Amino acid sequence: MIDLRALRDDFEAVAAALTRRGVDRAELERLAEQDARRRALIVEGDQLRSQRKQAGKAIGQASSPEERERLIAQTKEASTRLSEVEAEQAQIEADLDAALAHLPNLPHPDAPDGHDEDDAVPVRWFGTAPQHTAPARDHVELGEALGILDLQRAAKIAGTRNALLRGPAVWLELGLVRYALDYLDARGHTPVIPPVLVREHALYGTGFLPGSAEEIYHVPADDKYLVGTSEVPLAAMHDDEILDSADLPLRYAGFSTNFRREAGAHGRDTRGLMRVHQFDKVEMFSFTTAEQSDDEHERLTTMQVELLEGLGLHGRVVDIAVGDLGASAQRKYDCEVWLPGQERYRELTSCSNCTDYQARRLRCRHRAHPEEDTALVHTLNGTACAVGRTIAALLETHQRADGTVAVPETLVPYVGLDVLTPPA
RNA sequence: GGUGGAGUCGCAUAGCCUGGCCUAGUGCGCCGCACUCGAAAUGCGGUAGGGGCUUUCGCCCCUCGUGGGUUCGAAUCCCACCUCCACCGCCA
């Protein structure tokens, strides 16, 4: 949620920033008008309540029954008017909240213009491009040939866009998770395994609701939701808390299974591990002060690159265009890895600075001393390892002409294997 | 799933039956001041969050789990819901 006060006090700046993201200026003007009306109602309501309070005291101390009746009649009028004012205020606040809930975050001034992934601007490259003598095979072909990926049976059990890993792929998955968690733990990110079936509030607080409802699995019997990323429970950990500024940045590494309906993705990535309804992921999450968040964004992005480089993958970091940002993000970097089987760069990880947008909804604040005012924290999230996509990239990158796939050196101790070999 | 209990200003509690001197008391914690060479102890004062108004100083309103209701007036009465705890049953 954006700051309504900023919209009031600095309308032109907010309007300029949000129109970059495609928000209609007229809508913002309407919001500003509603805000003014709301405040006028607050003033009137406060006055009426104040009157009523005074009168109520006088009634309690009335000297005679006649005096008492007279005062009661007077107060009745104020109460009637107050109920009208309160009704109008409630209505306008409901409208305002609904409209605000749909507004995206103000973009970073340096985030590039544009509408979709093609407008993203590459900012750096990492690793070296793999050289294959034979034409590269894609991860589905490789996984099936190695006997570690069974998509037919996954579909039989659960429908399309599901995967079944078996044998060495399981060690690969668990090794990747431990590799990422070890890396993060050593850098101050506390490992967390959070709940993945959560209340609506957690999704609202992180900005996924009401905007992305069609992407989220809902369990109506209990009115709960399966999260699409552990960003959701990690952010909600400090819902309605006032953190000690000295404890910031507060850093976590969440591991969870993630569920996504992929409602708008018909026809895209229908094969393999790139886009499935259920996948495991290690996620980084940081709570920082407003002053720290830009640096923390760079820090998380750097760690993402190191994690991918450590796996011998080649790719680039792109600065996502404002029109392609998620609602909560002020700026987002994606790490795109070269997939030899597809002959293109594909997003493997992604890192967003959400500034105070989630914190305002979550009422997550910090302060240094009891006598100071509170300030909203900034929240940031980034993928450390999206396991399915990473396995795809590893298979395609490290495949060899003889049909085997090398396990990168850093991963060998975690996986317990140095090569994946087709069954005899 | 069943039964019972409980949600009050950081923590612990009083207040609710009997609505109005509740501007929510008390203890602990915390901050400041005094005393002290310093500290402890002691004394005094302060100590929530949010919103609005205001050039300033300040002032006002809301929040006693949440939302409704009754009433001139609700922490207090009524209804619904949420959450937590205990025990029983079932269960990895």
Side-chain angles (χ1 to χ4, degrees):
Chain A
M1 188 174 293
I2 66 156
D3 185 6
L4 192 54
R5 226 173 292 181
L7 186 75
R8 182 189 310 158
D9 296 338
D10 204 0
F11 183 86
E12 287 308 324
V14 172
L18 284 179
T19 48
R20 286 186 74 205
R21 297 196 63 167
V23 174
D24 185 10
R25 185 188 163 93
E27 188 187 344
L28 297 175
E29 284 167 351
R30 193 166 62 247
L31 281 176
E33 283 165 24
Q34 286 181 318
D35 174 47
R37 178 63 188 151
R38 171 180 153 268
R39 283 179 292 135
L41 289 167
I42 287 172
V43 170
E44 187 177 359
D46 281 0
Q47 282 168 353
L48 287 167
R49 270 184 291 269
S50 185
Q51 274 174 32
R52 188 181 66 181
K53 232 181 190 177
Q54 302 303 321
K57 248 172 223 169
I59 291 168
Q61 298 162 349
S63 51
S64 67
E66 296 77 31
E67 174 70 1
R68 191 182 161 85
E69 286 310 312
R70 198 180 58 76
L71 286 167
I72 287 175
Q74 243 178 36
T75 313
K76 227 167 196 166
E77 267 179 60
S79 284
T80 307
R81 173 63 192 146
L82 181 60
S83 60
E84 291 168 13
V85 170
E86 283 178 339
E88 192 188 343
Q89 187 184 336
Q91 181 59 54
I92 205 159
E93 282 183 351
D95 292 349
L96 208 47
D97 284 348
L100 273 176
H102 283 279
L103 280 187
N105 200 359
L106 304 180
H108 193 286
D110 296 338
D113 286 315
H115 304 291
D116 54 37
E117 56 188 294
D118 296 331
D119 296 317
V121 175
V123 292
R124 59 181 284 203
W125 277 259
F126 57 85
T128 48
Q131 303 294 323
H132 295 111
T133 47
R137 297 196 281 169
D138 81 0
H139 72 275
V140 176
E141 203 179 328
L142 288 162
E144 288 177 340
L146 291 165
I148 63 173
L149 181 62
D150 189 341
L151 296 172
Q152 276 72 35
R153 290 203 173 88
K156 182 169 77 174
I157 299 163
T160 55
R161 289 201 191 286
N162 281 285
L164 189 152
L165 302 182
R166 68 178 177 197
V170 173
W171 310 138
L172 197 53
E173 149 129 9
L174 296 179
L176 278 168
V177 169
R178 188 64 201 250
Y179 160 72
L181 286 174
D182 270 1
Y183 176 93
L184 292 170
D185 187 36
R187 287 161 182 78
H189 287 254
T190 306
V192 173
I193 296 180
V196 295
L197 186 61
V198 304
R199 298 186 184 163
E200 180 180 23
H201 178 75
L203 285 153
Y204 176 84
T206 39
F208 288 97
L209 285 176
S212 307
E214 73 287 347
E215 260 304 298
I216 302 167
Y217 286 105
H218 180 216
V219 181
D222 295 289
D223 197 22
K224 293 199 177 158
Y225 299 82
L226 285 164
V227 299
T229 164
S230 50
E231 171 191 347
V232 171
L234 291 175
M237 279 174 72
H238 296 296
D239 168 31
D240 198 24
E241 290 184 17
I242 299 173
L243 305 171
D244 187 337
S245 306
D247 293 338
L248 300 178
L250 210 50
R251 294 164 170 147
Y252 296 102
F255 169 64
S256 76
T257 301
N258 309 282
F259 302 91
R260 299 187 181 181
R261 296 189 63 235
E262 299 296 350
H266 300 299
R268 297 175 63 195
D269 300 312
T270 50
R271 262 163 56 86
L273 295 173
M274 293 305 288
R275 196 177 294 274
V276 285
H277 290 307
Q278 173 196 325
F279 62 97
D280 292 340
K281 177 159 67 73
V282 176
E283 179 82 1
M284 308 181 283
F285 200 92
S286 299
F287 296 84
T288 76
T289 65
E291 293 71 34
Q292 296 166 335
S293 75
D294 277 341
D295 287 348
E296 184 72 2
H297 196 200
E298 297 301 323
R299 176 181 168 275
L300 294 178
T301 304
T302 299
M303 295 200 300
Q304 291 182 314
V305 169
E306 278 185 25
L307 280 161
L308 294 170
E309 276 181 323
L311 298 173
L313 299 174
H314 158 68
R316 62 182 188 183
V317 180
V318 299
D319 195 351
I320 298 299
V322 290
D324 196 29
L325 293 170
S328 298
Q330 171 233 30
R331 192 175 204 182
K332 177 162 88 163
Y333 296 115
D334 280 1
C335 292
E336 298 181 334
V337 166
W338 181 254
L339 290 193
Q342 296 190 10
E343 297 193 296
R344 51 187 285 227
Y345 290 101
R346 293 298 312 270
E347 175 195 335
L348 238 62
T349 64
S350 171
C351 188
S352 298
N353 183 357
C354 295
T355 63
D356 60 12
Y357 186 90
Q358 293 178 330
R360 186 169 290 107
R361 293 180 176 218
L362 291 164
R363 297 188 314 285
C364 182
R365 296 147 290 169
H366 72 90
R367 80 178 147 203
H369 302 290
E371 59 275 14
E372 275 185 20
D373 286 342
T374 61
L376 291 166
V377 301
H378 278 199
T379 59
L380 303 100
N381 65 84
T383 323
C385 181
V387 176
R389 287 188 178 186
T390 304
I391 288 177
L394 289 174
L395 294 180
E396 295 191 16
T397 300
H398 298 304
Q399 61 182 296
R400 293 164 172 159
D402 64 1
T404 64
V405 174
V407 174
E409 204 176 317
T410 43
L411 220 45
V412 171
Y414 289 107
V415 177
L417 296 166
D418 56 10
V419 64
L420 303 175
T421 312

